[in-house]
Amino acid sequence: MVAVALSATVAGVAAAEDASTTMHELSEASDFRVRVSAALVLGHTRPVGSLEALESALADVHPAVRVAAARALGSLGDPAALPPLEQRLSRDASASVTAQLRVAIAQLRRTPGDDNASAAGGHRLPPGVRYLVELGSMSNHSAVSGSRGDELAQILGTSARARAGAMRGTVFSDGDASLRQQAAQRHVPVITLDGNVTQVTASRIGGGTQVQVHVEFAVRRGQTLKGTVSGAATTFGPGAELSEESRRRLEEDALQGAVQSALRGAEEGLLVAAR
């Protein structure tokens, strides 16, 4: 999985001299996975020049890189990134990218009182929160394999992150250790969602192409499985032949719709699982 490689890369980049190498990889690497990794590293390490490099990466040809750049810009916490994020949101055709752009914009628009750093260096857990949600593993077990399969797993995570962040009474923890610590101190349950793309199918129907995507999320508290939720969505593209870009867009739109289907109205179910 790409996520495993990303974790190892983030942990390994510490020296200041590596920043220029990472920025070069972000702009020049031929493998989109290397560019994705470089974007997330910059968002984690925040070297000088990372804002400008990530803004440029918002125009990358590969949607997974644009997703990573938007996520990294949100992590930087610099409101100067708002204009390029908003500009990209107005014209990006990828559902997964626009979902992450909205998440990053929401992060940067938070008022200082809502998003002050705690003593541990993270964010404050607001009063009245019912549970903390975090993402576990995101995988793809559909018939789509290779780099596209890895990409679908990453898009699954992006869509789940955006949906979980919008749930009522919920705070989404994107690896924020301070939020977890505060949750433990206040006895707020922590729920983990492990996602899986279980099926991606395409078929010819009525002079066009129909794409259907199924997803499933395992809901656990710690290592205890509390249940599963699943969803599916279908998209349709007209015409005798679809371009590669159009087919990918149909898959991404259906995947995002499947995530919405699985997690729509899931707040009460997750509350039950948290007990």
Side-chain angles (χ1 to χ4, degrees):
M1 288 296 299
V2 175
V4 175
L6 298 183
S7 299
T9 306
V10 170
V13 177
E17 58 267 24
D18 284 342
S20 60
T21 300
T22 305
M23 291 181 195
H24 179 77
E25 290 176 342
L26 177 59
S27 62
E28 302 297 335
S30 58
D31 189 332
F32 82 91
R33 289 167 293 188
V34 175
R35 303 200 301 278
V36 166
S37 178
L40 296 182
V41 167
L42 292 179
H44 180 79
T45 58
R46 307 178 183 184
V48 174
S50 57
L51 178 64
E52 293 78 9
L54 290 167
E55 286 178 2
S56 297
L58 290 175
D60 193 279
V61 296
H62 202 290
V65 180
R66 302 199 298 276
V67 166
R71 180 179 176 185
L73 285 169
S75 298
L76 289 183
D78 189 340
L82 277 171
L85 286 168
E86 291 167 341
Q87 290 170 12
R88 191 71 210 178
L89 179 61
S90 68
R91 63 175 183 268
D92 204 297
S94 168
S96 59
V97 177
T98 56
Q100 185 60 55
L101 287 167
R102 290 190 179 97
V103 170
I105 290 169
Q107 282 180 294
L108 297 178
R109 281 180 176 168
R110 288 174 185 158
T111 63
D114 291 335
D115 203 36
N116 281 342
S118 67
H123 301 133
R124 289 179 179 171
L125 195 64
V129 63
R130 297 189 294 176
Y131 44 79
L132 194 68
V133 174
E134 59 186 18
L135 296 188
S137 64
M138 294 291 123
S139 58
N140 166 51
H141 291 145
S142 74
V144 180
S145 59
S147 61
R148 180 57 175 168
D150 289 343
E151 185 179 353
L152 289 178
Q154 184 181 51
I155 293 170
L156 173 67
T158 300
S159 299
R161 184 178 293 106
R163 180 68 190 117
M167 289 181 178
R168 298 187 307 274
T170 304
V171 170
F172 177 70
S173 169
D174 197 0
D176 192 328
S178 71
L179 282 177
R180 264 188 152 272
Q181 182 178 19
Q182 293 170 69
Q185 292 170 346
R186 290 167 48 180
H187 305 289
V188 173
V190 179
I191 294 296
T192 302
L193 298 176
D194 296 316
N196 181 23
V197 182
T198 58
Q199 184 178 359
V200 179
T201 59
S203 56
R204 298 288 300 168
I205 294 181
T209 300
Q210 176 180 283
V211 174
Q212 188 171 63
V213 175
H214 293 253
V215 302
E216 182 177 84
F217 292 95
V219 182
R220 58 183 171 88
R221 185 173 179 185
Q223 297 303 313
T224 302
L225 179 65
K226 292 291 188 174
T228 61
V229 292
S230 59
T234 301
T235 52
F236 181 82
E241 295 293 337
L242 280 181
S243 67
E244 178 67 13
E245 181 181 355
S246 296
R247 182 188 60 78
R248 292 167 68 93
R249 187 179 302 173
L250 287 178
E251 289 178 347
E252 292 178 13
D253 287 347
L255 177 51
Q256 186 178 35
V259 171
Q260 294 284 344
S261 171
L263 299 181
R264 185 182 296 116
E267 292 91 342
E268 293 304 321
L270 294 183
L271 186 61
V272 172
R275 294 170 183 164

